[in-house]
Amino acid sequence: MAVVSTERRIDKMIRLLVKNPTVLVPGPKIAAQIGVTRAAVGFWVKMLRELGVEIKGHVGSGYQLMKIPDILVPSLLQDELGETEIGRVIVHYFRINSTNTEALYLAQQGAKHGTVVVAEEQTQGRGRHGRIWYSEKSSGIYLSVILRPPFPPSAAPILTLMAGVAAREALSAVTGLDVDIRWPNDLLVKGKKVAGILTEMSAELGRLHAVVLGIGINVNHREMPAELKPLATSLRIESRKSWSRVQICVALLKEFTRYYHLLLENGSAAIADRWAAASSYANGKRVRVVTSAAECLATTVGLEPNGGLRVRYDDSREETLVAGEVTEVK
Ligand code: BTN
């Protein structure tokens, strides 16, 4: 089955209903204004209802939105975003295999810097180290940003840290929760993961074509699957209230834009400083270091300007980690 992005016309229909909140908008009027058949309007209303959008009425009476829907369609996001560099183009899918896979494809096809790919549901969401990213329909945010930075491929890791700092800032500002960053860029609330970032790139020797920053945020999940419960949580579980994904997404894209410019203008040390100030993992944390070669206990002793994590192993050896994972040892 070919996966097609959400039609601009569905987006227009949502916009029309949002702009007429107190009235039943007749089906024929919707059809005429967006240039589709009445049958298409009926079909889209059914599809939106299946996604949890509350729409009153039927084909005879017309349709009315009962509240602003929390779906990540371009018209709802861009109204709030204004002129941000990241998010000027937003490609939305109701269902896709992975927004990162799609973003890499679109980047290869020439998609512009700052293009955002977002989906309500992923069927093959990918995490780091070949893991699966649990992507429950309409509960989380599954989003990938295409960047075309003027750096060599060796500088790409700092973009990953930049994304972590930006996402932490957005999540703390919107929810008021105490959000920590585990190196390199897992976002944690009370020690459990609420968001993860997967950075992928298309490059050739010495030249970066595009970087795709993919972020998954567990927002309104009522419960995590049993196997993830010890490690992962959602913003809703931790705060006991549900959140507007639109609001979080808008905050996230604004912070991405802000921190991307901080990086361009002040260099990677500025990002490393912000990261170190925001993360309990930067200094003095007892961790288990897992690399492809070994697993050892260590204490963190600082972050390098390029984003590498300095650790001191229990045998006093010191090393700067550029890849791998750390987990807290209590
Ligand atoms: C991690 O393992 O912590 C990284 C998770 C990244 C998940 C996001 S969801 C949007 C984007 N598309 C994917 O397939 N993965 C990333």
Side-chain angles (χ1 to χ4, degrees):
M1 187 188 75
V3 181
V4 284
S5 64
T6 304
E7 272 214 58
R8 285 206 65 74
R9 290 176 301 180
I10 303 185
D11 201 18
K12 266 179 143 177
M13 180 177 91
I14 295 168
R15 195 190 189 91
L16 184 66
L17 292 173
V18 168
K19 298 277 173 227
N20 295 278
T22 53
V23 289
L24 282 161
V25 187
K29 181 177 169 188
I30 301 176
Q33 286 212 1
I34 61 179
V36 294
T37 62
R38 291 179 209 180
V41 171
F43 176 75
W44 289 341
V45 166
K46 182 168 170 279
M47 194 178 72
L48 290 169
R49 282 179 175 148
E50 278 166 15
L51 278 171
V53 179
E54 288 175 50
I55 303 175
K56 187 168 110 179
H58 51 78
V59 68
S61 63
Y63 299 104
Q64 181 183 359
L65 273 178
M66 300 313 287
K67 57 177 193 220
I68 305 277
D70 193 31
I71 50 176
L72 304 173
V73 287
S75 63
L76 297 181
L77 290 173
Q78 278 162 339
D79 265 0
E80 303 289 321
L81 264 178
E83 276 300 298
T84 52
E85 177 175 328
I86 297 178
R88 209 171 286 153
V89 177
I90 297 177
V91 188
H92 175 268
Y93 295 84
F94 283 107
R95 190 169 202 235
I96 199 167
N97 52 9
S98 149
T99 56
N100 259 39
T101 305
E102 185 64 10
L104 284 167
Y105 170 75
L106 293 177
Q108 197 195 2
Q109 300 298 305
K112 286 206 179 96
H113 168 81
T115 298
V116 168
V117 180
V118 63
E120 303 297 319
E121 183 184 4
Q122 294 186 119
T123 53
Q124 290 166 47
R126 295 187 281 114
R128 295 172 67 227
H129 305 294
R131 295 187 191 117
I132 290 169
W133 185 259
Y134 176 65
S135 308
E136 186 178 301
K137 181 160 89 179
S138 299
S139 297
I141 294 175
Y142 317 112
L143 173 150
S144 302
V145 176
I146 299 171
L147 297 178
R148 296 192 182 275
F151 311 139
S154 58
I158 198 69
L159 286 166
T160 294
L161 269 77
M162 176 214 84
V165 179
R168 180 204 171 258
E169 193 80 20
L171 294 187
S172 327
V174 174
T175 66
L177 287 167
D178 191 1
V179 184
D180 196 5
I181 319 178
R182 176 171 59 203
W183 189 85
N185 55 13
D186 289 339
L187 300 185
L188 311 178
V189 174
K190 296 195 194 125
K192 288 189 182 180
K193 187 155 162 174
V194 286
I197 295 166
L198 175 67
T199 309
E200 297 181 297
M201 58 180 152
S202 106
E204 61 187 288
L205 216 60
R207 209 166 83 85
L208 201 51
H209 296 304
V211 171
V212 167
L213 291 176
I215 177 158
I217 309 176
N218 303 332
V219 181
N220 289 326
H221 302 58
R222 289 168 190 274
E223 202 178 12
M224 298 308 289
E227 69 279 14
L228 294 179
K229 263 187 192 168
L231 304 171
T233 187
S234 75
L235 298 173
R236 181 187 186 132
I237 294 168
E238 295 308 320
S239 60
R240 298 205 180 93
K241 61 177 276 202
S242 60
W243 294 96
S244 153
R245 291 181 311 138
V246 169
Q247 193 192 355
I248 292 176
C249 219
V250 166
L252 183 70
L253 297 178
K254 284 186 173 167
E255 292 299 342
F256 271 171
T257 303
R258 191 159 80 88
Y259 278 97
Y260 183 67
H261 280 276
L262 182 75
L263 174 61
L264 290 186
E265 283 147 31
N266 296 36
S268 60
I271 298 294
D273 284 351
R274 301 288 174 108
W275 191 98
S279 168
S280 74
Y281 282 73
N283 236 310
K285 185 79 130 189
R286 286 288 292 158
V287 290
R288 182 180 318 279
V289 178
V290 184
T291 63
S292 49
E295 226 183 283
C296 302
L297 294 178
T299 304
T300 62
V301 288
L303 193 77
E304 297 285 352
N306 67 1
L309 183 67
R310 278 208 74 72
V311 294
R312 183 179 306 124
Y313 292 107
D314 288 1
D315 61 8
S316 298
R317 252 180 332 119
E318 283 200 13
E319 187 181 21
T320 300
L321 303 176
V322 289
E325 281 194 308
V326 298
T327 50
E328 184 175 16
V329 178
K330 291 211 171 123

